[in-house]
Amino acid sequence: MSDTPRQMALGLNLVAAGAHGGGWRMPEAKTDAAMDIRFWKQMAREAEAAKFHFMFWADGIAVRSSAKDEEQLSYDSRIDVFEPLTLLAALSAVTEKMGFIATASTTYNEPYNMARKLASLDHISEGRVGWNVVTSWSEDEALNFGRDKHMEHSSRYRRAEEYIDVVFGLWDSWEDDAFIRDKASGQYFDPAKLHTLHHHGEHFKVRGPLNAARPIQGYPVIAQAGSSGPGQDLAARTAEVIYTMQKDRDEAAAFYASVKGRFARYGRSPDSALVMPGMMPIIGRTMQEARDLFERLQELIHPQLGLAALAGSFGDLSAYDVDGPLPPMLADSNAVKSAHVRLAKFLDGRALTIRQLYQFRAASGHHLIVGTPESIADEMQDWFEHRGCDGFNILPPFYPQPVRDVFHLLVPELQRRGLFHTEYAGSTLRENLGLARPGHFHHRQPAHLAAGN
């Protein structure tokens, strides 16, 4: 083990026009941020100046909403967003060391295309790419890909496990030094260093090889966001960054212990992955300023948006009085199961009105901290030191001021405490996160593949 003090990893998750449901309506908010490439380039440069490890996109391939109709949908600000792999390519060109982790679904993409895109992006970015592996949760995505309904939860995860194996195998089509490009002999690659996949499985039949050289990082950094039992197993087998949603330290510590406790069965060390829950800071220079900002944000959550946020767990609530009591939750959900279970646990013993719950839910699905830079850093430090996380994925409520408060107020406080680095450790995302570069499968089989098959 290294004698270097443990430090946080920090990611920046810039969601559409802001991660808070009412944030884009703030008078000072930039309402068109989601599709403004100049804004994104500037945020990328500023995030790199603040030494963030990466920017992160939690994406879907549909207008995803629980809205019951187009009228209700029209109050949702997360409609127009860039496709993240495309955006990643643009932002990598204006930065030097910060990484980029993009979401792509194993349910609605083919593994060969995904392996090729990510290998290309790893070369384009000079080794700064990560892939957030998701199975998708929204029925809306199914309707865009020739399905009448979403694939069942356990089936999605079986497909995802095979999908990842195929992608890893394709990235190992070529050894690192396979392309000799010998002008004298005329030989472009060494045929002994080509490994054609020839995969036949339950879900995929893929011959290979990949028509791209092995990624600079060996494999792009693998992130995973599922918190259910199958999601934790997939993370323990494959993930190096684990994105999760917890709202208190004890819950976070329990998840941390649960997911890292699964690593040994796949031949992996718990230190081979970083658990990074989402966190939304509402920052004020005083506690009163922070509370006032939060109250303004909460008041701007439109009831139509709030009711849609509850539909996945309660169904259509439009006939109910929003200031009346909550009806019973639906028995089950085929969407984000872990979130459904967490909500049921949260409501146990609480008597909330529909409005109170939708303000809680539509504000953010992640942990929301209201305070000064010092008090927010206190809570982050508490989670970190009690092994509730290895860092955080930070979601600003709107733009641009809250994200700049993170850069200029919160990050310096974390650095002052020695909790966050002041310079990048290397040039690739793996180096900066302290993650090992996987050797080629032919020479050194990765533990998560050796034990997973």
Side-chain angles (χ1 to χ4, degrees), residues 229-244:
Q232 289 190 45
D233 285 334
L234 183 63
R237 191 167 83 91
T238 63
E240 295 162 306
V241 171
I242 301 170
Y243 183 43
T244 183

Side-chain angles (χ1 to χ4, degrees), residues 220-342:
V221 171
I222 302 299
Q224 206 273 331
S227 295
S228 64
Q232 289 190 45
D233 285 334
L234 183 63
R237 191 167 83 91
T238 63
E240 295 162 306
V241 171
I242 301 170
Y243 183 43
T244 183
M245 299 168 66
Q246 274 81 41
K247 289 181 176 287
D248 67 68
R249 191 198 74 189
D250 291 343
E251 180 185 318
F255 173 82
Y256 188 99
S258 175
V259 70
K260 292 213 171 186
R262 300 170 192 242
F263 277 49
R265 72 183 70 165
Y266 300 107
R268 301 182 67 199
S269 163
D271 294 332
S272 61
L274 305 173
V275 175
M276 299 182 65
M279 186 271 283
M280 181 186 291
I282 308 296
I283 302 174
R285 284 169 174 77
T286 66
M287 284 299 298
Q288 190 59 52
E289 183 180 305
R291 292 189 192 102
D292 289 346
L293 174 58
F294 179 61
E295 288 179 9
R296 290 168 63 206
L297 285 164
Q298 293 298 86
E299 289 170 359
L300 290 174
I301 297 173
H302 196 281
Q304 292 283 11
L305 180 67
L307 294 178
L310 299 184
S313 290
F314 289 90
D316 184 0
L317 294 175
S318 59
Y320 291 82
D321 177 3
V322 296
D323 292 309
L326 285 161
M329 290 181 70
L330 300 175
D332 198 8
S333 169
N334 191 38
V336 184
K337 286 190 176 294
S338 56
H340 187 75
V341 171
R342 279 196 303 273

Side-chain angles (χ1 to χ4, degrees), residues 179-189:
F179 290 94
I180 54 177
R181 302 182 181 94
D182 189 327
K183 290 183 178 180
S185 70
Q187 193 170 53
Y188 195 75
F189 71 87

Side-chain angles (χ1 to χ4, degrees), residues 10-193:
L10 289 183
L12 183 67
N13 190 352
L14 297 183
V15 178
H20 187 283
W24 71 276
R25 299 179 66 195
M26 294 288 284
E28 62 269 39
K30 180 175 173 56
T31 58
D32 63 347
M35 298 292 290
D36 184 341
I37 189 59
R38 292 184 179 181
F39 167 78
W40 286 86
K41 287 179 179 179
Q42 184 60 32
M43 286 299 101
R45 294 185 190 103
E46 292 184 30
E48 185 167 69
K51 310 304 179 187
F52 266 73
H53 287 89
F54 56 82
M55 292 175 72
F56 180 97
W57 292 274
D59 186 63
I61 38 183
V63 172
R64 300 185 298 179
S65 177
S66 298
K68 61 184 175 66
D69 54 34
E70 292 180 357
E71 171 65 20
Q72 190 175 63
L73 177 65
S74 71
Y75 293 91
D76 193 332
S77 64
R78 302 183 186 185
I79 303 298
D80 53 339
V81 293
F82 284 117
E83 189 284 313
L85 295 176
T86 309
L87 182 59
L88 183 162
L91 301 186
S92 70
V94 299
T95 52
E96 296 290 335
K97 293 189 175 182
M98 185 179 65
F100 302 93
I101 299 179
T103 297
S105 172
T106 60
T107 305
Y108 301 115
N109 287 289
E110 287 297 311
Y112 192 95
N113 288 342
M114 189 54 53
R116 187 185 186 207
K117 289 176 182 178
L118 287 165
S120 296
L121 286 167
D122 205 52
H123 284 278
I124 289 168
S125 68
E126 299 181 276
R128 295 184 286 135
V129 169
W131 172 28
N132 181 38
V133 181
V134 300
T135 67
S136 294
W137 56 263
S138 172
E139 296 285 350
D140 296 305
E141 293 182 59
L143 300 179
N144 288 337
F145 292 89
R147 298 174 185 260
D148 293 325
K149 62 181 297 185
H150 201 19
M151 186 183 294
E152 189 272 329
H153 189 267
S154 61
S155 297
R156 299 202 305 266
Y157 276 94
R158 288 197 306 274
R159 175 185 165 99
E161 289 186 359
E162 184 181 344
Y163 190 112
I164 292 171
D165 287 346
V166 172
V167 170
F168 285 172
L170 289 168
W171 284 335
D172 281 334
S173 294
W174 310 93
E175 296 182 33
D176 290 317
D177 56 352
F179 290 94
I180 54 177
R181 302 182 181 94
D182 189 327
K183 290 183 178 180
S185 70
Q187 193 170 53
Y188 195 75
F189 71 87
D190 182 347
K193 297 183 178 182

